[in-house]
């Protein structure tokens, strides 16, 4: 099948490459000329495990090409995926300017039947808006399909190749047949291809992300309560998660959710509900709990150092919003860096993949180190911000010899408080039984 993918970012590049891998001819389009130049050389502009090999292979086999020429890509293909950014606007709504502008350009150059597939996360009703915009520009037949993407950065290739489910929102039998054919190789093992109308499909994506964000905020609240009552969130998590109605996944307490999806998708769903005069009370709380949680580590640091904080040096391990990605969008690290710099702290940072991205955000306001141990030299404390695997089993004696004071704030609960204590560290986790406040009264 001949496919174009408009927008070659974290989603578009993976989608385009994986469709090429399953034998389709794919044209990936992006406005960013530098990105397209890199991709033509077989270099991935993003860090995503397993992606570069597939990219190179499919370029060599001539199934995957990159261009900035949207019009010719549209003319040459029958299925057009939109994988464009839908960032958060000031009022919280999803900004649809890229999606709607591209829809208009597609409409203008259509030379036959096309299936326009929305992969971007877009508010309910966007398929209808895209349909109207395209229809105003062309007399050609076309369909607009909603096909939200559920891949996770850091495991994106595997998620796309072996999806838990594929959601297809369309009421057109013609478009549906094409989509079923396209996805057949990806659902061979029996994982469901769920067919529904466009609006339900659009809402499914927001409901799924908002539910996951709810799990995170819920566990963070329970963790904060653990600290007050002297309980251990890790034990509570295990005790809860073994109930199959709850499940073990996504129950880790930490320093708040970040990334390019949860924050903006929660905000956009709140905005959608508001525009229909409905208050999503639970989601409102999810958002405010998350804002507070991003400050939890900083509060612990302030509490530990008190008046002595100004002039201290602190090391951060991890900058990306989660492991195995270089994505720092809305990462808790940004809040921690900003707050600690304002407190007059010097920051030494290390991340296995995200230092270049962080440099684009905060420049040289922090000092970057290629080695996590080097970053510890002379610091008064370490904050574990992202749970990269390489931080899980470090040489604690070496760490102790490098740190000026053996203090660890573990924002991801990757170390055992008892072991840390036995090794002579002052250890702060999240919800690990520290009594931060006595019982009232
Ligand atoms: P991104 O910012 O990484 O990529 C978007 C790409 O589109 C960029 O390369 C940009 O240069 C390009 N672009 C912008 N305007 C363009 C235009 N007019 N023509 C061609 N290219 C253009 O974004 P992303 O993370 O890939 O997200 C894309 C969409 O997918 C969003 O709606 C997002 O919510 C959704 N989504 C993202 C993820 C994720 O994990 N990142 C997962 C599921 C869904």
């Amino acid at each position: 099948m001949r496919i174009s993918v408009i927008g070659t970012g974290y989603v578009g590049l993976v989608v385009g490459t994986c469709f090429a891998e399953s034998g389709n001819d794919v044209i990936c389009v992006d406005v960013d000329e530098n990105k397209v130049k890199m991709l033509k050389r077989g270099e991935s502009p993003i860090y995503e495990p397993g992606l570069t090999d597939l990219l190179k292979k499919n370029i060599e086999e001539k199934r995957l090409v990159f261009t900035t020429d949207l019009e010719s890509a549209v003319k040459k293909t029958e299925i057009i995926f939109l994988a464009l950014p839908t960032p958060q606007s000031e009022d919280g709504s999803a900004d649809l300017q890229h999606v709607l502008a591209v829809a208009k350009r597609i409409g203008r150059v259509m030379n036959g039947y096309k299936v326009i597939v929305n992969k971007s996360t877009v508010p309910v009703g966007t398929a209808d808006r895209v349909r109207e915009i395209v229809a105003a520009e062309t007399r050609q037949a076309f369909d607009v399909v909603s096909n939200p993407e559920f891949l996770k950065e850091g495991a994106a290739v595997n998620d796309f190749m072996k999806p838990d489910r594929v959601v297809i929102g369309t009421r057109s039998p013609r478009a549906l047949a094409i989509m079923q054919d396209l996805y057949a190789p990806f659902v061979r093992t029996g994982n469901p291809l769920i067919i529904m109308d466009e609006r339900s499909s659009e809402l499914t994506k927001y409901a799924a992300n908002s539910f996951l964000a709810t799990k995170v905020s819920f566990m963070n609240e329970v963790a904060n309560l653990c600290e007050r009552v002297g309980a251990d969130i890790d034990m509570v998590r295990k005790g809860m998660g073994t109930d199959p109605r709850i499940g073990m996944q996504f129950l880790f307490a930490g320093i708040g959710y970040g990334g390019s999806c949860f924050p903006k998708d929660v905000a956009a769903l709140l905005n959608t509900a508001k525009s229909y005069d409905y208050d999503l009370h639970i989601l409102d709380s999810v958002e405010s709990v998350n804002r507070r949680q991003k400050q939890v580590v900083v509060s612990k640091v302030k509490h530990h150092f008190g008046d002595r904080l100004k002039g201290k040096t602190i090391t951060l391990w991890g900058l990306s919003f989660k492991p195995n990605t270089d994505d720092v969008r809305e990462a808790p690290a940004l809040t921690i860096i900003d707050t600690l710099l304002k407190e007059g702290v010097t920051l030494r940072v290390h991340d296995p993949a995200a230092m270049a991205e962080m440099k684009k955000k905060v420049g040289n306001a922090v000092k970057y180190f290629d080695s996590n141990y080097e970053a510890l030299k002379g610091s008064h404390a370490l904050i574990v911000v992202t749970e990269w695997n390489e931080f899980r089993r470090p040489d604690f004696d070496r760490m102790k010899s490098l740190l000026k004071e053996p203090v660890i704030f573990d924002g991801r609960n990757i170390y055992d408080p008892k072991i840390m204590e036995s090794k002579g560290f002052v250890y702060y986790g999240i919800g690990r039984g520290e009594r931060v406040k006595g019982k009232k009264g």
Side-chain angles (χ1 to χ4, degrees), residues 5-13 29-33 35 39 45-46 48 67-68 70 82-87 94-95 97-99 101-102 105 118-122 148-154 156 205-206 209 259-262 264-265 321-322 327 329:
V5 181
I6 320 295
T8 312
Y10 283 89
V11 169
L13 182 56
V29 181
D30 206 283
V31 277
D32 185 334
E33 287 182 14
K35 205 178 251 192
L39 286 163
I46 56 166
E48 187 59 57
T67 179
T68 54
L70 180 120
L82 308 184
L84 293 156
T86 49
D95 178 353
Q97 59 165 315
H98 302 289
V99 171
V102 166
R105 286 174 64 191
N118 213 337
K119 263 251 167 265
S120 298
T121 303
V122 290
E149 183 48 57
F150 298 99
L151 63 75
K152 303 181 287 294
E153 287 176 20
K205 174 67 190 174
Y206 281 109
N209 271 2
S260 67
C261 290
F262 286 6
K264 82 168 173 59
D265 292 349
F321 82 95
K322 66 173 179 180
D327 199 342
R329 292 179 283 186

Side-chain angles (χ1 to χ4, degrees), residues 58-116:
N58 283 283
I59 293 172
E60 267 166 31
E61 290 171 8
K62 301 203 178 351
R63 286 193 297 263
L64 181 61
V65 294
F66 297 93
T67 179
T68 54
D69 186 350
L70 180 120
E71 277 70 18
S72 86
V74 169
K75 284 183 184 155
K76 286 180 195 156
T77 53
E78 188 183 24
I79 312 172
I80 304 157
F81 278 87
L82 308 184
L84 293 156
T86 49
Q88 188 173 331
S89 307
E90 261 184 25
D91 64 357
S93 64
D95 178 353
L96 288 177
Q97 59 165 315
H98 302 289
V99 171
L100 302 182
V102 166
K104 192 168 185 157
R105 286 174 64 191
I106 292 171
R108 282 189 186 151
V109 295
M110 276 186 11
N111 55 345
Y113 175 75
K114 310 278 174 192
V115 186
I116 302 166

Side-chain angles (χ1 to χ4, degrees), residues 256-277:
Y257 61 77
S260 67
C261 290
F262 286 6
K264 82 168 173 59
D265 292 349
V266 168
L269 190 55
L270 280 166
N271 185 276
T272 297
K274 213 162 142 201
S275 67
Y276 286 85
D277 283 331

Side-chain angles (χ1 to χ4, degrees), residues 28-47:
C28 283
V29 181
D30 206 283
V31 277
D32 185 334
E33 287 182 14
N34 285 332
K35 205 178 251 192
V36 170
K37 269 188 204 153
M38 269 183 90
L39 286 163
K40 280 183 171 169
R41 293 195 299 264
E43 293 166 23
S44 172
I46 56 166
Y47 174 83

Side-chain angles (χ1 to χ4, degrees), residues 153-194:
E153 287 176 20
V157 172
N158 196 50
D159 284 349
F160 193 82
M161 297 302 270
K162 296 176 193 150
D164 296 325
R165 80 301 207 185
V166 175
V167 170
I168 295 178
T170 181
R171 284 159 299 162
S172 154
R174 184 175 182 182
L176 178 59
I178 291 172
M179 295 299 288
Q180 282 173 318
D181 201 14
L182 178 65
Y183 273 108
F186 300 91
V187 291
R188 272 174 47 240
T189 48
N191 288 346
L193 203 146
I194 306 167

